[in-house]
Amino acid sequence: MATTKKKSYDGFTDAERDAMKEHAKELKSKEDPAEAQAAKIATMADADREIAERLNELIPQIAPDLTPKLWYGMPGWAKNGKIVCFFQDAAKFKYRYSTFGFQDSANLDDGDMWPTSYAITKLTPAVEKQIVALVKRALS
C-alpha cells in the first residue's frame, strides 16, 4: 500500500511567519525601542529608508506623546504601549509600494467604512501634510 504525504498549509506566508517571529523577539527585547527602530530603518532599501527616516523625524514633532516601537519588524509609533501608526516598507511582504497604516487605537472611524492604510511611493510636501492631518486626527 503506497502512502502519500499530506500537504499542510497553515495559512501564513514565509514573510508573515518571519514577521511573527520578529514580533516575539520585540516583546522579549531589552533594546531601546528608538534604537531598534533606527536600526530596522537602516536596513531598508534607499527609497523606503528615506520615507521611514522622514516619518521618524516628523511624527515626534507633530505627536510628541507617541513613542517609537517596532511592531512585527516595522517602525511604529505607540501611545501607552499600543501601536497607533506604522510604516511598512515595500520589501516587508514583497509589495510594489510601501504603506503608512493605522491600528484600531487610532481615532479615524468615519461611518461604516474608512481607510486604515495608505500607499506611499514618494514623501512629498503634500503627502507629509496629509500624514500630519491623519496622525493628529488619529490622536484626537
Side-chain angles (χ1 to χ4, degrees), residues 125-140:
V127 171
E128 279 190 23
K129 188 176 179 180
Q130 288 178 291
I131 289 170
V132 166
L134 286 166
V135 170
K136 284 182 178 181
R137 181 172 167 208
L139 296 172
S140 64

Side-chain angles (χ1 to χ4, degrees), residues 2-131:
T3 60
T4 58
K5 228 180 188 181
K6 185 178 178 183
K7 290 184 181 181
S8 70
Y9 178 71
D10 65 8
F12 296 105
T13 65
D14 289 342
E16 290 167 332
R17 277 192 291 281
D18 289 344
M20 288 184 278
K21 288 176 186 175
E22 282 183 286
H23 187 58
K25 285 183 202 173
E26 293 159 12
L27 295 173
K28 296 175 188 174
S29 177
K30 304 282 189 229
E31 187 177 9
D32 176 271
E35 290 177 14
Q37 189 179 68
K40 179 56 79 173
I41 290 170
T43 67
M44 295 178 182
D46 292 345
D48 285 344
R49 186 179 63 250
E50 288 173 18
I51 294 170
E53 286 172 344
R54 179 62 184 136
L55 289 172
N56 209 22
E57 294 169 359
L58 185 63
I59 290 172
Q61 292 172 8
I62 59 172
D65 52 338
L66 292 182
T67 56
K69 183 175 181 176
L70 282 180
W71 184 67
Y72 292 92
M74 297 176 282
W77 295 269
K79 182 174 183 177
N80 300 324
K82 293 183 104 181
I83 293 293
V84 174
C85 54
F86 62 92
F87 176 74
Q88 179 180 300
D89 64 306
K92 181 71 176 171
F93 296 110
K94 298 181 176 106
Y95 288 174
R96 65 182 176 99
Y97 48 78
S98 59
T99 57
F100 184 70
F102 294 89
Q103 280 300 102
D104 62 341
S105 60
N107 187 23
L108 296 175
D109 303 26
D110 184 17
D112 293 327
M113 187 171 119
W114 58 89
T116 58
S117 67
Y118 299 82
I120 300 178
T121 56
K122 188 175 181 184
L123 199 55
T124 64
V127 171
E128 279 190 23
K129 188 176 179 180
Q130 288 178 291
I131 289 170

